[in-house]
Amino acid sequence: MTEQREAMTVLVVEDERHLADLYAEYLSDSYDVRTAYGGQEAIDSLGSEIDVVLLDRRMPVVSGNEVLATIEERGLDLEVAMVTAVDPDFEIIDLGVDDYVVKPVSKNTLLDVLERLETISTYNERQQKLTSKKLKRNVLEVEKTRPELESSERFARLEAEIEELEAEVQALATDLERSEIDRQD
C-alpha cells in the first residue's frame, strides 16, 4: 500500500480471560490492542478509535451477536471478525461480520485475519474515493464541451487520479482473492 498508516486499534472481545490476554499478546507487536472480557465491557469500549473488533460469539450475559447488533445500530465504521468455537452455519450469511474464524486460532491466523481486514478497509476506502471521482468526471463530461475538457489541467489531473485509483483497487482486489485462496489451502 502506498500510504503509511498508524497502527490499527484492535478490540479483542473474549470472556475467557486467558484467551483474550493471549490474543492481545499475539497482536501487541503490530497493533494497538485493547481487551474486553465480556459483551457489556465491549459495548462500553466501542468508539471511533476502534478499527477492528475480534469478537467471541458465545459469551454469557451479553453475546457476541448482541455486541454486533450494537455496532450496527451505532453505525460504527469498523471491521469485525468473529473468533469463536461456534462452527459456522448458513446463518453467517446474514451476520454483519467481515470474517469468521473457528477456534482454536494461532498467532499467524489472527495476524492473517487482521491483515485481510486492513486490506478490506483500504479497498473500501479507495473504492469509495474512486466512485466519487468518477461521478464528478461524469458530471463534467455532461456539462462541458469536449474542447473544454481537453484544455483543462484539473480535468486531466482528475482522470489521472481515477486511473491511479482504479489500479490500486484492482491490486487490492487481487490481494484479497490471493488471501482467500491461501486461506482455503
Side-chain angles (χ1 to χ4, degrees):
M1 283 167 245
T2 57
E3 294 177 11
Q4 185 66 23
R5 296 172 57 143
E6 53 182 85
M8 286 193 320
T9 300
V10 178
L11 177 61
V12 175
V13 182
E14 172 63 63
D15 64 307
E16 295 183 47
R17 282 183 172 272
H18 70 282
L19 282 180
D21 294 342
L22 180 64
Y23 296 165
E25 183 181 318
Y26 284 169
L27 304 173
S28 63
D29 287 343
S30 304
Y31 301 97
D32 175 17
V33 182
R34 300 171 188 188
T35 54
Y37 300 110
Q40 188 57 55
E41 188 178 341
I43 289 170
D44 295 341
S45 299
L46 291 172
S48 60
E49 71 283 358
I50 304 296
D51 299 303
V52 175
V53 176
L54 298 179
L55 182 60
D56 186 16
R57 190 166 187 187
R58 203 177 276 161
M59 296 182 289
V61 186
V62 178
S63 73
N65 289 354
E66 291 171 285
V67 174
L68 188 58
T70 300
I71 291 168
E72 291 170 356
E73 287 168 11
R74 292 184 186 175
L76 295 172
D77 183 24
L78 48 80
E79 311 302 320
V80 179
M82 281 283 184
V83 181
T84 180
V86 179
D87 286 330
D89 204 347
F90 293 108
E91 86 281 353
I92 72 165
I93 293 169
D94 298 320
L95 209 54
V97 298
D98 302 290
D99 207 339
Y100 195 99
V101 183
V102 179
K103 295 176 187 174
V105 295
S106 67
K107 178 179 181 177
N108 287 339
T109 298
L110 286 179
L111 290 171
D112 288 347
V113 165
L114 288 172
E115 184 177 314
R116 193 168 39 254
L117 292 178
E118 187 169 17
T119 301
I120 288 169
S121 179
T122 303
Y123 174 88
N124 290 338
E125 289 169 10
R126 296 297 190 280
Q127 185 65 49
Q128 184 177 14
K129 193 173 185 180
L130 175 61
T131 299
S132 175
K133 289 188 181 291
K134 283 183 169 182
L135 288 171
K136 291 173 186 175
R137 179 185 64 189
N138 293 348
V139 168
L140 290 170
E141 287 177 337
V142 168
E143 298 298 325
K144 298 293 182 184
T145 65
R146 179 58 40 202
E148 287 175 308
L149 295 174
E150 290 172 356
S151 66
S152 171
E153 288 180 33
R154 291 175 75 188
F155 187 76
R157 206 168 37 248
L158 175 65
E159 289 205 300
E161 290 169 358
I162 288 171
E163 190 174 308
E164 183 179 318
L165 281 167
E166 285 174 332
E168 282 184 57
V169 166
Q170 182 57 50
L172 289 164
T174 300
D175 287 349
L176 287 169
E177 288 171 12
R178 207 173 296 124
S179 171
E180 189 57 33
I181 290 168
D182 292 345
R183 184 177 178 175
Q184 293 173 1
D185 289 341

